[in-house]
Amino acid sequence: MSSIGTGYDLAASTFSPDGRIFQVEYAQKAVDNAGTMIAIRGKNGIVMVADKVISSKLYTDNANPRMFNVNDNVGVGVSGNYPDGFSLKNYAYGEAMKWLKDYREPMPVQNIANAVAEYIHIHTLGISRPFGAGAYFISWNKQTGGRLFLVEPSGLNYEYKAWAVGKHRQAAKAEIEKLKIDELDVQQLVKEAARIIMAVRDENKDKNVQIEMGWVGEHTDGKYEEVPSEVVTAAEEWATAKLDEDDMED
Amino acid sequence: MFRNQYDSDVTVWSPQGRLHQVEYAVEAMKQGSATVGIKSDTHAVIVALKRAQNELSSHQKKIYEIDVHAGVSIAGLLSDGRILARFLQTECSSWRWDYKQPVPIKKLAEAMQLKLQANTQYYGRRPFGVGILIAGYDKDGAHIIQTDPSAEVVSMHGTSIGARSQSARTYLERNVDKFEKCKTSCLISVFHLFILASPEELIVHALLALRDTLPAEENLSAQNTSIGIVGKDSPFSLLEDAQVSVHLNSVSTHPRTTAQAQGGGAEPMQM
């Protein structure tokens, strides 16, 4: 980025001479430097996994969760700057509530993702700073199957089969690509997702980390839920064993 | 000393994806006198160190009641803190009006986080230069919530913010470790010590942690210390002056933990 410090990167309302908006790129950095977060769509459901740093043992269990319900059917997972992400979650929740009031039915995941993307985009025009957070939105039902969206700090909103954001996103994406994700059921997804998160960790730097998971699928009857801690623990144990096994082979 | 061209406004991201103005606001919090909060299963305690401008003035108020079941203590710019305390008082009373129930502490924390976050994103307002500890008791038990100017709001077993608060946090963590060693089979929680503590013990732990933030020549006194406690079947109460002395007496029997310049040991409390 040779244009750093030339004065074209101090406001979201400023284009650089080569047509870039640096403030939005810098906001994306806040997501890129945060803990890895992946989401995978399998045969009969979707799993979201985040790697969280527990910076003090004085925290209570599951302090600062990154995954929430937007409504009964849709889950949101926020990555990047935590307070910004929380604010996005709050906006999504408010929009879903308005939809329910107006139409008397739950807001579909695509509409939620679009609404949030629009809101994020407004913040890239320069009145305030862009959000330093991104958000996954996931849902599953019999008619549409699983759907997974990611909204970025730029306001871009794409649907994915699987994706990774955060510190080790490249390595995580490479790992995901090795899997035949369309054939995996939710139980297998949970294990593989835990394995990927643990495999891409930097052993020297990533200390005091904890996995948080959320899922939705046929097994939850299309309701988004936080994955029970015993399932997460079992997945971590499986993943540790699997990683050790792989190390032995090398 | 920190200056760079990305630190003049809250609405500017640095190339590394950081918000310098927000980080500086956190520094303001770190300059305020310390406050400590810890909880057990049934009670939450906040203690705070008050400063006086000079010998003729009173000490600045640091702990506020915000409802029957909750109180806050403040570190940083106390005038910013007072605004936030008033905000929380309003949240508490409007929740009571809407639902005819005390507000759950979690909801209070969420409202607080959204308010703080807005001041880190929108042009024209600076972030609050203050950190707050919320102590409360609701249907889910006792809570200690820590907030800071960057809008990080987090639920804690025990914590401290303000000047030299690391010493207090060290005290809290160290006492956990001691306990872990003597009861390695204990699986319930590493915070067993505090979880089973009586309200009086809890206050003593909080005061000992607070005392560790003081330089050797200073000590806790009835004038510079405030205590707030809330718990099961006991509404929030703010202890000051004479009521504080009682608890300071039980603290004075404990020697100062950090090796102090003048011999350390059990110094008499200045009352």
Side-chain angles (χ1 to χ4, degrees), chain B residues 135-147:
Chain B
Y137 184 84
D138 62 19
K139 61 182 180 0
D140 300 320
H143 302 273
I144 293 288
I145 307 287
Q146 182 196 93
T147 80

PDB file of all heavy atoms in Angstrom, chain B residues 135-147:
ATOM      1  N   ALA B 135     -22.089  -3.755  39.726  1.00  0.00           N
ATOM      2  CA  ALA B 135     -22.336  -4.886  40.622  1.00  0.00           C
ATOM      3  C   ALA B 135     -23.834  -5.038  40.735  1.00  0.00           C
ATOM      4  O   ALA B 135     -24.534  -4.053  40.970  1.00  0.00           O
ATOM      5  CB  ALA B 135     -21.730  -4.620  41.991  1.00  0.00           C
ATOM      6  N   GLY B 136     -24.318  -6.236  40.534  1.00  0.00           N
ATOM      7  CA  GLY B 136     -25.759  -6.412  40.609  1.00  0.00           C
ATOM      8  C   GLY B 136     -26.149  -7.818  40.998  1.00  0.00           C
ATOM      9  O   GLY B 136     -25.341  -8.747  40.932  1.00  0.00           O
ATOM     10  N   TYR B 137     -27.385  -7.945  41.433  1.00  0.00           N
ATOM     11  CA  TYR B 137     -27.917  -9.274  41.757  1.00  0.00           C
ATOM     12  C   TYR B 137     -29.285  -9.403  41.103  1.00  0.00           C
ATOM     13  O   TYR B 137     -30.147  -8.532  41.276  1.00  0.00           O
ATOM     14  CB  TYR B 137     -28.035  -9.449  43.277  1.00  0.00           C
ATOM     15  CG  TYR B 137     -28.479 -10.846  43.651  1.00  0.00           C
ATOM     16  CD1 TYR B 137     -27.543 -11.880  43.746  1.00  0.00           C
ATOM     17  CD2 TYR B 137     -29.824 -11.148  43.862  1.00  0.00           C
ATOM     18  CE1 TYR B 137     -27.943 -13.172  44.049  1.00  0.00           C
ATOM     19  CE2 TYR B 137     -30.219 -12.446  44.171  1.00  0.00           C
ATOM     20  CZ  TYR B 137     -29.282 -13.459  44.266  1.00  0.00           C
ATOM     21  OH  TYR B 137     -29.666 -14.739  44.549  1.00  0.00           O
ATOM     22  N   ASP B 138     -29.464 -10.480  40.314  1.00  0.00           N
ATOM     23  CA  ASP B 138     -30.769 -10.709  39.690  1.00  0.00           C
ATOM     24  C   ASP B 138     -31.105 -12.195  39.743  1.00  0.00           C
ATOM     25  O   ASP B 138     -30.439 -12.959  40.444  1.00  0.00           O
ATOM     26  CB  ASP B 138     -30.803 -10.159  38.255  1.00  0.00           C
ATOM     27  CG  ASP B 138     -29.792 -10.840  37.335  1.00  0.00           C
ATOM     28  OD1 ASP B 138     -29.322 -11.949  37.686  1.00  0.00           O
ATOM     29  OD2 ASP B 138     -29.480 -10.262  36.278  1.00  0.00           O
ATOM     30  N   LYS B 139     -32.104 -12.619  38.974  1.00  0.00           N
ATOM     31  CA  LYS B 139     -32.551 -14.014  39.055  1.00  0.00           C
ATOM     32  C   LYS B 139     -31.458 -15.013  38.671  1.00  0.00           C
ATOM     33  O   LYS B 139     -31.521 -16.179  39.048  1.00  0.00           O
ATOM     34  CB  LYS B 139     -33.803 -14.227  38.209  1.00  0.00           C
ATOM     35  CG  LYS B 139     -33.612 -13.944  36.742  1.00  0.00           C
ATOM     36  CD  LYS B 139     -34.927 -14.127  35.993  1.00  0.00           C
ATOM     37  CE  LYS B 139     -34.871 -13.861  34.511  1.00  0.00           C
ATOM     38  NZ  LYS B 139     -33.650 -13.471  33.871  1.00  0.00           N
ATOM     39  N   ASP B 140     -30.438 -14.560  37.934  1.00  0.00           N
ATOM     40  CA  ASP B 140     -29.336 -15.453  37.558  1.00  0.00           C
ATOM     41  C   ASP B 140     -28.194 -15.423  38.565  1.00  0.00           C
ATOM     42  O   ASP B 140     -27.159 -16.043  38.338  1.00  0.00           O
ATOM     43  CB  ASP B 140     -28.789 -15.064  36.179  1.00  0.00           C
ATOM     44  CG  ASP B 140     -29.853 -15.166  35.100  1.00  0.00           C
ATOM     45  OD1 ASP B 140     -30.629 -16.138  35.148  1.00  0.00           O
ATOM     46  OD2 ASP B 140     -29.931 -14.277  34.232  1.00  0.00           O
ATOM     47  N   GLY B 141     -28.343 -14.674  39.651  1.00  0.00           N
ATOM     48  CA  GLY B 141     -27.292 -14.605  40.658  1.00  0.00           C
ATOM     49  C   GLY B 141     -26.592 -13.263  40.671  1.00  0.00           C
ATOM     50  O   GLY B 141     -27.122 -12.269  40.180  1.00  0.00           O
ATOM     51  N   ALA B 142     -25.367 -13.289  41.246  1.00  0.00           N
ATOM     52  CA  ALA B 142     -24.603 -12.042  41.355  1.00  0.00           C
ATOM     53  C   ALA B 142     -23.783 -11.820  40.088  1.00  0.00           C
ATOM     54  O   ALA B 142     -23.398 -12.774  39.411  1.00  0.00           O
ATOM     55  CB  ALA B 142     -23.679 -12.122  42.562  1.00  0.00           C
ATOM     56  N   HIS B 143     -23.553 -10.545  39.765  1.00  0.00           N
ATOM     57  CA  HIS B 143     -22.788 -10.209  38.562  1.00  0.00           C
ATOM     58  C   HIS B 143     -21.815  -9.072  38.818  1.00  0.00           C
ATOM     59  O   HIS B 143     -22.125  -8.141  39.556  1.00  0.00           O
ATOM     60  CB  HIS B 143     -23.725  -9.756  37.433  1.00  0.00           C
ATOM     61  CG  HIS B 143     -24.753 -10.759  37.060  1.00  0.00           C
ATOM     62  ND1 HIS B 143     -24.540 -11.753  36.146  1.00  0.00           N
ATOM     63  CD2 HIS B 143     -26.030 -10.928  37.502  1.00  0.00           C
ATOM     64  CE1 HIS B 143     -25.625 -12.494  36.028  1.00  0.00           C
ATOM     65  NE2 HIS B 143     -26.543 -12.019  36.849  1.00  0.00           N
ATOM     66  N   ILE B 144     -20.654  -9.167  38.193  1.00  0.00           N
ATOM     67  CA  ILE B 144     -19.741  -8.028  38.085  1.00  0.00           C
ATOM     68  C   ILE B 144     -19.514  -7.798  36.598  1.00  0.00           C
ATOM     69  O   ILE B 144     -19.073  -8.698  35.882  1.00  0.00           O
ATOM     70  CB  ILE B 144     -18.382  -8.307  38.774  1.00  0.00           C
ATOM     71  CG1 ILE B 144     -18.545  -8.420  40.285  1.00  0.00           C
ATOM     72  CG2 ILE B 144     -17.389  -7.210  38.428  1.00  0.00           C
ATOM     73  CD1 ILE B 144     -18.819  -7.124  41.017  1.00  0.00           C
ATOM     74  N   ILE B 145     -19.855  -6.614  36.113  1.00  0.00           N
ATOM     75  CA  ILE B 145     -19.648  -6.275  34.707  1.00  0.00           C
ATOM     76  C   ILE B 145     -18.583  -5.185  34.627  1.00  0.00           C
ATOM     77  O   ILE B 145     -18.659  -4.196  35.352  1.00  0.00           O
ATOM     78  CB  ILE B 145     -20.947  -5.742  34.062  1.00  0.00           C
ATOM     79  CG1 ILE B 145     -22.115  -6.704  34.271  1.00  0.00           C
ATOM     80  CG2 ILE B 145     -20.730  -5.433  32.573  1.00  0.00           C
ATOM     81  CD1 ILE B 145     -22.081  -7.949  33.472  1.00  0.00           C
ATOM     82  N   GLN B 146     -17.604  -5.413  33.747  1.00  0.00           N
ATOM     83  CA  GLN B 146     -16.560  -4.403  33.552  1.00  0.00           C
ATOM     84  C   GLN B 146     -16.776  -3.719  32.205  1.00  0.00           C
ATOM     85  O   GLN B 146     -17.029  -4.377  31.198  1.00  0.00           O
ATOM     86  CB  GLN B 146     -15.193  -5.098  33.555  1.00  0.00           C
ATOM     87  CG  GLN B 146     -14.022  -4.158  33.416  1.00  0.00           C
ATOM     88  CD  GLN B 146     -12.750  -4.906  33.028  1.00  0.00           C
ATOM     89  OE1 GLN B 146     -12.415  -5.048  31.870  1.00  0.00           O
ATOM     90  NE2 GLN B 146     -12.044  -5.415  34.028  1.00  0.00           N
ATOM     91  N   THR B 147     -16.708  -2.396  32.190  1.00  0.00           N
ATOM     92  CA  THR B 147     -16.813  -1.685  30.909  1.00  0.00           C
ATOM     93  C   THR B 147     -15.598  -0.772  30.758  1.00  0.00           C
ATOM     94  O   THR B 147     -14.990  -0.384  31.744  1.00  0.00           O
ATOM     95  CB  THR B 147     -18.079  -0.807  30.829  1.00  0.00           C
ATOM     96  OG1 THR B 147     -17.844   0.416  31.530  1.00  0.00           O
ATOM     97  CG2 THR B 147     -19.282  -1.498  31.421  1.00  0.00           C
TER      98      THR B 147
END
